[in-house]
Amino acid sequence: MKVLRSSFCFVCVAAVATLMPSTVRGDNDDDRKNASERLQEAGTVLHDITNAGDKGIPEDLLRDAHCAVVVPSLKKGAFIVSAKYGRGFVSCRRAGGWSAPAAIRIEGGGVGFQIGGSETELVLLVMNEKGAQKLMQSEFTVGAEGEVAAGPLGRNASAQTDGKFRAEILSWSRSRGVFGGVSLQAATLREDKDENFALYGKKLTTKEVVESSMPAPAAASKLIAELKAH
């Protein structure tokens, strides 16, 4: 029994480790160039999802959002044990516009019986102040400390009255792999001080970036422009 338990734990660790970038495993891959490229890609992802017409994010929801989280590549793999890992950015409204983006990580796993993998582009809109404050924490677990509901598609959501619009956070995804969607239940959102260091030269927390008046890096120009457009 102990042998089986040890083997299962080894598979769990291996499943998550294969998804994590080399920086997490100790390699020096988290330089400014890679962080800037991810940030530029986040702007492209938001542009694509918000300009997809009837298949995109309703404009009124983006207009009313307190914060936006964009993860250009949420990786999901499975071999008996499923796991998720992604790096992205969060920006929140402030007087006169949107804040400089702070880096975040999404991590999570669960038990299943699937073999395969996928990459998903993910956008989260934080719809109230309570949800925004949770993003300022060093980490919080979806489903345990915050509610995330699948967001609607279309040009306008004001006429829809489904209860999910009372959720603190709404999510949209565009999958490019074999899985048909992504579940964030039990996933954990964490601040990414290493990525912030690559962008700002200091290991800043999410709160320190978002609530400051520091200018956004040049690589964030497309992301900020897309947010300001709504």
Side-chain angles (χ1 to χ4, degrees), residues 58-72:
E59 291 187 8
D60 52 343
L61 291 180
L62 186 55
R63 184 181 62 242
D64 294 338
H66 287 234
C67 303
V69 179
V70 183
V71 180

Side-chain angles (χ1 to χ4, degrees), residues 148-219:
V148 177
L153 299 177
R155 298 179 185 276
N156 192 295
S158 60
Q160 303 182 52
T161 58
D162 193 285
K164 64 187 175 185
F165 297 129
R166 293 191 294 271
E168 294 175 359
I169 303 174
L170 297 174
S171 66
W172 290 263
S173 63
R174 186 170 67 174
S175 180
R176 297 176 291 184
V178 298
F179 296 110
V182 61
S183 173
L184 290 181
Q185 292 302 313
T188 299
L189 276 71
R190 307 178 188 274
E191 58 191 17
D192 193 339
K193 292 184 179 180
D194 290 335
E195 191 91 323
N196 284 336
F197 179 80
L199 291 171
Y200 301 105
K202 296 181 180 179
K203 288 196 172 185
L204 301 169
T205 66
T206 298
K207 186 174 183 178
E208 287 173 334
V209 175
V210 170
E211 295 188 355
S212 73
S213 59
M214 67 173 60

Side-chain angles (χ1 to χ4, degrees), residues 33-47:
K33 178 181 178 182
N34 291 332
S36 295
E37 288 176 351
R38 259 190 295 274
L39 188 48
Q40 291 170 346
E41 188 177 356
T44 299
V45 168
L46 185 61
H47 172 82

